[in-house]
Amino acid sequence: MESWDEIRRWRKTERAVMIERRLAASREDRARWNEAIAATIAQRLPQFRQMLVGFYWPFKGEFDARPLARALLKEGARFALPVVVEKAAPLIFREWWPGKTLTPGVWNIPVPAEGEPVTPEALLVPLVGFDQQGYRLGYGGGFYDRTLAAIMARTGSKPLTVGVGFELSQMATIHPQPVDIPMDLIITEARFDEVRPEGLLPLT
């Protein structure tokens, strides 16, 4: 594929396939995968307990980070949820904790109803798909790429970006474009990989 129009059409098709594949997994399988991913994050990323971590409300069978967030909050972590402020613009993040007032956002996904924007030091980023170079296939809005670019422009550094999804979401390539920003880590129920220039490297 050479043109962006071709790649965009291909991504739309692949996105639908990946979401359908995820939704077709049994509830029991997804629960088991959720537990494995949460355990990996809790054990392998102890620095989260001293960080402000951006996460996401689960959508269409995604990894559910809420139980993990509730547990890590008790150990010193802070968490924030993304808010879409306008189309084709960076996300903002507002701090979240159990009992925080939420309101329906885009696609009726709950978001904090109020609060000053905060800048996460790390991000758990949902993977519709991921490739062997650490790039993610998202929902097509480009929100995370814009958000990461905006944070880097404002602060001079990028949050630790942790792509989180299931093994069934892996792809050979998403045909990355110049605006696509790779993850730093990819975590599934079966992997904890660092993203290197040469591709995904399992961390032991």
Side-chain angles (χ1 to χ4, degrees):
M1 280 178 280
E2 296 183 359
S3 74
W4 170 236
D5 284 341
E6 289 177 299
I7 293 170
R8 186 168 50 195
R9 287 193 295 270
W10 176 85
R11 285 186 180 183
K12 183 178 180 180
T13 299
E14 289 298 305
R15 183 177 298 114
V17 169
M18 292 294 173
I19 292 173
E20 183 60 33
R21 184 181 298 170
R22 188 170 69 200
L23 290 171
S26 71
R27 183 172 297 181
E28 293 76 17
D29 279 343
R30 287 206 302 268
R32 189 174 69 254
W33 299 340
N34 269 270
E35 289 177 6
I37 292 168
T40 295
I41 293 171
Q43 294 166 11
R44 304 293 298 272
L45 295 171
Q47 64 267 42
F48 273 16
R49 292 164 175 83
Q50 288 81 45
M51 300 176 80
L52 172 60
V53 181
F55 77 120
Y56 57 90
W57 207 264
F59 182 62
K60 294 187 175 181
E62 291 173 331
F63 165 68
D64 186 352
R66 291 173 298 178
L68 172 69
R70 292 187 186 103
L72 294 185
L73 277 165
K74 297 175 183 177
E75 300 182 37
R78 296 164 59 209
F79 283 87
L81 285 169
V83 180
V84 176
V85 289
E86 62 179 291
K87 188 176 180 180
L91 300 163
I92 66 167
F93 284 82
R94 289 178 178 149
E95 198 160 354
W96 170 89
W97 54 84
K100 175 87 170 183
T101 301
L102 303 177
T103 189
V106 174
W107 298 318
N108 286 321
I109 298 173
V111 300
E114 57 186 14
E116 290 300 313
V118 296
T119 301
E121 300 164 275
L123 289 176
L124 293 178
V125 184
L127 303 174
V128 174
F130 68 94
D131 69 16
Q132 300 308 303
Q133 290 72 48
Y135 290 95
R136 71 180 280 270
L137 180 69
Y139 290 98
F143 287 109
Y144 276 98
D145 290 320
R146 291 189 186 92
T147 302
L148 289 170
I151 292 174
M152 286 190 286
R154 186 172 69 249
T155 68
S157 62
K158 180 167 74 71
L160 175 67
T161 53
V162 182
V164 183
F166 303 136
E167 278 294 295
L168 53 75
S169 299
Q170 61 182 305
M171 312 167 67
T173 181
I174 71 158
H175 297 285
Q177 301 300 292
V179 296
D180 292 316
I181 299 174
M183 302 290 97
D184 295 314
L185 299 170
I186 297 287
I187 296 178
T188 72
E189 74 277 11
R191 72 174 69 217
F192 181 77
D193 289 354
E194 184 179 15
V195 177
R196 295 282 189 88
E198 62 271 23
L200 300 182
L201 176 69
L203 294 177
T204 57

